[in-house]
Amino acid sequence: MKIAILNERRPNETRVAGSPEVVKKLVGLGATVVVEKAAGAGSSMPDSVFTGAGATIAKDAQSALKDADIVLKIQRPMIAGESVDELSEFSAGQVLVCQMSAMGDPNYVEAMAKSGVTGFAMELMPRITRAQSMDILSSQSNLAGYKSVLDAASEFGRAFPMMMTAAGTIPPARVFIMGVGVAGLQAIATARRLGAIVSATDVRPATKEQVESLGATFVAFEDEEFLNAQTIGGYAKEMSEEYQVKQKAFVAETIKKQDIVICTALIPGRPAPVLVDEDMVKSMKPGSVIIDLAVEAGGNCPLSQMGKVVVKHDVKIVGHANVPGRLADDASKLFAKNLLNFLTPMMNGEGAVLQIDEEDEIIKGTMVTRDGEIVHPALRNAEEEEADAPETEQVGD
């Protein structure tokens, strides 16, 4: 079995879908591992560390992909119409494992199906105990939450902890975390370690206890809708307009008192919800900082700009792209370990063929395409509904 690890060609991507430790374990499982030249350059992993772990180096993507059974990437390969058509280099029957953002781009999923590639979208990993070690969203969000606080501290013009000096006392910074998933919890913990006074909000009632267990204050408008605002999978539900108005007014009063606001709220397959509008930004103290971790999904603050730090109404708004990639070494190693944990159960059988059990809950949850068809239930149903929808008449002037 040949496993190819490719270079990442999308802008701002510094990670690699492999590490020396993971390569060594894949080789130990009987696989031949080929790494594209300089794939780990952005993650402080030169080609030599991969060859030392038992991999061979391919001069380009085409060489790495030749006769490969499994292909590992961080982000999905680009398709026709993008800057480079990476998918055209793949062969039918190959298995691709990566982050696909499958729910948000039906055109990509259709292209995958037409290519004949069996695609696993790791962001769709079911939230079950057995899959925790395979969850790329958790591993990468954990680092993003940590880095968001460091970025905030770097942009903020004051210290985080209270300091008592001969010249006077410096009050502690006030940090408000919006969205208490993995990133938010890590941001709370990191801000607390730096000595800030931390508060947090989320629409999921289960997060209140988690926030308070970390020593932060929980802030939310708690009504009946709030008590039922969580899916079975643990994700936040999209709230009604009525609740959003109530929560917005409640949170607006909190934001006025904050020095730093870190936004982490995402809804899978949907644009990021707006949490901090322009009026809230205007209400913040001069020199305050907003970190928008959802900027790549449209942003939790409409004033944020992807890849930029901007100043609006005397407030710094930070919209770094690919925040996990700002810690590329650790992010790559964790991502690669997630992929290894996903592949290992399918490599335990005899022979050189990956054994895919389509009845397994993890396979059902992540497999998007196979044998030229879209196989994921959510994506297949959406495609069928679109095909069955009646045509809309064009109304002339």
Side-chain angles (χ1 to χ4, degrees):
M1 182 186 300
K2 178 180 175 181
I3 299 176
I5 299 173
L6 299 186
N7 210 330
E8 300 294 323
R9 289 173 170 78
R10 290 185 180 274
N12 304 310
E13 187 52 78
T14 55
R15 296 169 292 175
V16 60
S19 69
E21 177 191 0
V22 166
V23 167
K24 188 174 182 179
K25 289 185 177 180
L26 289 172
V27 172
L29 290 170
T32 298
V33 181
V34 178
V35 180
E36 185 183 355
K37 183 179 179 180
S43 304
S44 303
M45 299 183 202
D47 293 342
S48 59
V49 302
F50 289 111
T51 56
T56 57
I57 303 299
K59 64 179 181 179
D60 53 29
Q62 187 176 21
S63 301
L65 285 166
K66 185 178 180 182
D67 300 323
D69 300 290
I70 304 170
V71 183
L72 305 182
K73 285 184 96 297
I74 296 289
Q75 297 197 48
R76 64 192 188 189
M78 289 183 277
I79 61 174
E82 298 186 76
S83 58
V84 179
D85 186 358
E86 295 178 275
L87 189 59
S88 65
E89 301 285 348
F90 284 66
S91 302
Q94 288 182 321
V95 173
L96 170 65
V97 186
C98 66
Q99 179 171 326
M100 289 185 188
S101 302
M103 291 296 183
D105 193 343
N107 292 332
Y108 178 79
V109 175
E110 186 177 345
M112 278 281 295
K114 288 180 179 179
S115 73
V117 172
T118 297
F120 288 98
M122 293 296 287
E123 75 276 6
L124 301 181
M125 187 65 62
R127 290 203 160 180
I128 58 176
T129 301
R130 184 163 57 94
Q132 287 180 352
S133 66
M134 312 172 193
D135 188 352
I136 62 166
L137 295 182
S138 291
S139 71
Q140 303 303 291
S141 295
N142 193 44
L143 290 173
Y146 164 78
K147 184 62 172 173
S148 71
V149 177
L150 299 189
D151 286 339
S154 176
E155 299 292 345
F156 190 46
R158 287 175 34 212
F160 261 51
M162 181 175 71
M163 294 184 180
M164 301 183 71
T165 74
T169 300
I170 298 173
R174 292 183 175 273
V175 178
F176 185 42
I177 313 297
M178 304 190 74
V180 189
V182 174
L185 289 170
Q186 182 58 248
I188 292 169
T190 304
R192 288 276 297 155
R193 284 195 292 267
L194 291 179
I197 295 174
V198 184
S199 56
T201 188
D202 197 287
V203 297
R204 295 168 296 172
T207 60
K208 180 176 182 179
E209 184 178 348
Q210 295 173 314
V211 167
E212 292 174 346
S213 71
L214 291 172
T217 302
F218 187 76
V219 176
F221 187 86
E222 301 184 37
D223 62 3
E224 186 174 347
E225 183 176 359
F226 170 80
L227 297 176
N228 294 284
Q230 185 167 317
T231 67
I232 295 174
Y235 293 100
K237 289 182 180 179
E238 188 168 16
M239 306 299 284
S240 69
E241 289 186 16
E242 183 181 359
Y243 180 86
Q244 290 179 38
V245 170
K246 295 175 183 177
Q247 173 75 346
K248 178 180 177 181
F250 194 73
V251 168
E253 289 302 311
T254 302
I255 283 180
K256 292 178 182 178
K257 306 168 188 175
Q258 306 304 312
D259 298 303
I260 292 163
V261 175
I262 297 176
C263 303
T264 74
L266 290 167
I267 300 173
R270 303 287 296 276
V274 174
L275 302 181
V276 182
D277 63 21
E278 188 166 5
D279 287 338
M280 293 180 185
V281 176
K282 289 178 180 178
S283 75
M284 296 180 71
K285 295 176 285 187
S288 298
V289 176
I290 296 172
I291 306 290
D292 194 345
L293 290 182
V295 67
E296 291 172 299
N300 293 147
C301 177
L303 300 182
S304 63
Q305 297 180 30
M306 189 168 72
K308 295 182 179 180
V309 178
V310 297
V311 179
K312 302 288 184 180
H313 309 296
D314 296 319
V315 175
K316 280 188 179 180
I317 305 174
V318 180
H320 291 309
N322 187 18
V323 175
R326 291 166 58 78
L327 296 168
D329 186 295
D330 286 332
S332 297
K333 288 173 180 175
L334 292 179
F335 196 107
K337 193 65 179 292
N338 292 146
L339 300 187
L340 172 69
N341 293 335
F342 175 69
L343 290 173
T344 298
M346 293 185 277
M347 297 174 66
N348 285 338
E350 295 181 2
V353 179
L354 198 68
Q355 297 186 342
I356 300 174
D357 179 6
E358 294 191 32
E359 297 303 312
D360 186 278
E361 187 176 0
I362 290 173
I363 300 302
K364 285 182 178 180
T366 56
M367 189 161 65
V368 173
T369 58
R370 191 176 193 185
D371 298 329
E373 296 183 353
I374 298 171
V375 297
H376 194 282
L379 294 166
R380 188 174 64 239
N381 293 341
E383 183 185 44
E384 290 170 355
E385 289 173 7
E386 184 176 343
D388 292 340
E391 294 185 7
T392 302
E393 291 185 6
Q394 295 283 344
V395 181
D397 295 334

